[in-house]
Amino acid sequence: GNIAADRLPTLSLNGQAQHQSTVTTLPLALPGTTIPVPPHDTYDAHLGVEEPLFDPSLAPRRAVERARLQESQAQIRTSLFSLRHELDDAFFDAASLQERIAVIDAAIAGLDARLRETARRFLEGAATPGDTSMVAATLLQRRQDRLQLDADRVAALARLSSLAGRQIDDEERLVVPDLAAAATRAARALDTLRARPEFDQFRATSDRLARQEEAVSAEDRPRVSAFGRLGHGRPGLDMLSSDFQSYWLAGVQLQWTPWRWGTASRDRALLEIDRAVTATNEAAFARSLQRAVQAPLATIARRDSTLALDDRIIALRERVTREAESQLREGAITTATYVER
């Protein structure tokens, strides 16, 4: 808007009153003729108008502003991408707590069943009061763990709600997507890291610096404008008159500043330094991303290789649990041994 306004005519209103010690006189004496002497007091009020006809700096300045807009938009996308990271962390924290609560619930259900069974056996004389107390104490400890996990999940859901911009009820169940295919694609295509919005921001900054350099060069080129003036003063355009007069004038003017005491060179040097800093930051960011993804990719590969072992471990632990329950019911092991297993 401001740059577009530079193409419009500019109006200015000026006024001036002055007294000068000496005026121009003609050292002539002509018989019968009086040569007028200009007044020492002069007054002038005029309205001036100027309209650019040719300004080579307008197009580069508009390009700079467009580049600034694109850079700002890239910065917003980068900020939103960082917010997405926080959103992902909050989601998986809440989902992890949800699964841990499910595990605790299963343990509580098993201990509750054992407590009822131990109480029944105590009434039958097949168990001691200490057996019932031990199972009850372990059950209470698991319920304490459940309360802590509930509190942690409520906090995680509150953080997730704040980041997502909508209320997520404590009773809602989070569904974790299958990320195996996405992880495989990410491992095979590390060059897609260049698709991150930070690299768009680096490119936008480089483009903005290039446009600024063009604008600096355009400042050294000549400009042409039309001007006009409408005024009233003493004297007017007749410098020998002592009366107030109205006047007008119009014309075309050329403005060129070929020498600005090295200002343009210094501006270009600063832009070159900014360009080098941007390139260095981009390279450093790319290297940091490459380093940052190595550990997660190694973790994914390790977990993929241990999934089969996890299934076998779970099956063996379920077998141990079933055998311990059977042995407890038959009185082959004590309650303490069952709780320990």
Side-chain angles (χ1 to χ4, degrees), residues 22-224:
T22 304
V23 295
T24 303
T25 58
L26 297 177
L28 299 175
L30 299 177
T33 302
T34 302
I35 299 177
V37 178
H40 288 255
D41 296 327
T42 60
Y43 307 90
D44 181 57
H46 65 268
L47 174 66
V49 59
E50 181 176 346
E51 181 174 4
L53 299 178
F54 174 71
D55 189 349
S57 69
L58 288 178
R61 286 160 58 195
R62 283 196 296 266
V64 169
E65 293 306 315
R66 286 194 296 268
R68 289 187 188 277
L69 176 61
Q70 293 175 356
E71 184 181 18
S72 299
Q73 292 172 341
Q75 290 174 347
I76 293 174
R77 289 192 294 270
T78 299
S79 300
L80 292 177
F81 192 80
S82 301
L83 182 63
R84 177 183 172 183
H85 272 296
E86 294 185 34
L87 185 64
D88 290 343
D89 290 341
F91 174 83
F92 284 106
D93 285 344
S96 176
L97 290 167
Q98 173 181 283
E99 298 306 316
R100 291 173 62 187
I101 289 174
V103 173
I104 287 290
D105 285 342
I108 289 175
L111 287 169
D112 191 55
R114 298 292 78 74
L115 179 60
R116 291 194 302 269
E117 183 176 344
T118 304
R120 179 183 56 79
R121 292 176 64 231
F122 170 71
L123 293 176
E124 295 173 352
T128 65
D131 293 336
T132 304
S133 299
M134 182 174 297
V135 176
T138 306
L139 179 59
L140 290 176
Q141 184 177 358
R142 293 295 178 268
R143 285 175 175 166
Q144 283 183 335
D145 295 340
R146 174 67 154 80
L147 291 174
Q148 182 62 51
L149 289 176
D150 278 338
D152 293 342
R153 184 173 183 270
V154 168
L157 288 177
R159 177 172 171 237
L160 180 60
S161 299
S162 176
L163 293 171
R166 74 176 187 87
Q167 183 62 36
I168 300 177
D169 190 57
D170 297 344
E171 301 301 324
E172 290 190 39
R173 180 171 180 80
L174 302 180
V175 179
V176 179
D178 185 6
L179 301 177
T184 301
R185 289 194 302 268
R188 293 176 179 174
L190 291 179
D191 56 338
T192 57
L193 292 174
R194 285 279 174 177
R196 285 178 58 112
E198 289 88 347
F199 291 103
D200 289 338
Q201 182 178 344
F202 287 129
R203 285 190 290 269
T205 300
S206 298
D207 182 66
R208 188 257 302 168
L209 292 173
R211 302 289 82 76
Q212 282 184 308
E213 185 173 1
E214 294 175 358
V216 170
S217 300
E219 292 293 332
D220 294 336
R221 300 170 189 168
R223 306 176 188 181
V224 178

Side-chain angles (χ1 to χ4, degrees), residues 223-234:
R223 306 176 188 181
V224 178
S225 60
F227 69 92
R229 180 185 296 179
L230 177 64
H232 186 76
R234 190 187 72 173

Side-chain angles (χ1 to χ4, degrees), residues 238-301:
D238 183 1
M239 302 302 297
L240 298 179
S241 174
S242 299
D243 301 327
F244 282 90
Q245 298 176 342
S246 297
Y247 67 90
W248 67 269
L249 55 87
V252 177
Q253 63 182 0
L254 172 69
Q255 295 174 311
W256 185 29
T257 309
W259 177 254
R260 292 191 294 158
W261 303 101
T263 301
S265 299
R266 288 190 293 272
D267 290 341
R268 292 190 188 95
L270 291 175
L271 292 173
E272 189 62 32
I273 292 174
D274 290 341
R275 186 180 291 110
V277 170
T278 301
T280 301
N281 291 338
E282 181 178 2
F285 181 72
R287 289 193 297 269
S288 68
L289 283 183
Q290 291 288 344
R291 292 191 300 268
V293 299
Q294 296 306 319
L297 290 177
T299 300
I300 291 173

